[in-house]
Amino acid sequence: MTFQFFKLSEFACPCCNENKINLDFIFKLDNARSSAGVPFKVNSGYRCPIHNQKVGGVSNSDHLKGEAADIATPNSEIRYRVIFGLISAGFTSFIIYPTFIHVSYSPLERILLKS
């Protein structure tokens, strides 16, 4: 499967290169990127249990299931456009941090702002 804006390797775990990312999640993220009109830099995609623990991820993290990504948002304009793209693509579960947005494929609806 190929995507317009992403390579599967962008979502691999950085410590072991394992990659169990959900392909439907990437397809939806590809649609979000198209709507946003700005590049999405993936800071974190799939995480193996060891890496998730190392970075302080929660034990039930969607990263462990391959259903989450952290997208870099270095300024407010990029942050706005990424959020616009995510909402346009139908994402309802994301957390807005000062320098990145955590987006999840989870059906649980949550939009949080973290400082």
Side-chain angles (χ1 to χ4, degrees), residues 38-81:
V38 295
F40 283 19
K41 180 184 181 297
V42 178
N43 289 339
S44 183
Y46 172 74
R47 295 180 192 157
C48 73
I50 293 169
H51 186 69
N52 189 62
Q53 186 175 27
K54 181 179 175 182
V55 299
V58 296
S59 61
N60 63 344
S61 172
D62 286 337
H63 286 280
L64 294 165
K65 297 182 274 184
E67 296 183 349
D70 296 337
I71 308 298
T73 55
N75 61 52
S76 59
E77 180 183 352
I78 300 292
R79 192 171 304 107
Y80 168 80
R81 295 187 68 153

Side-chain angles (χ1 to χ4, degrees), residues 1-2 6 12 23-24 29-30 32-33 40 55 64 69 76 80-81 85 96 102:
M1 180 177 261
T2 60
F6 297 104
L23 298 180
D24 290 332
L29 202 59
D30 215 40
R33 162 59 183 91
F40 283 19
V55 299
L64 294 165
S76 59
Y80 168 80
R81 295 187 68 153
I96 304 164
H102 168 90

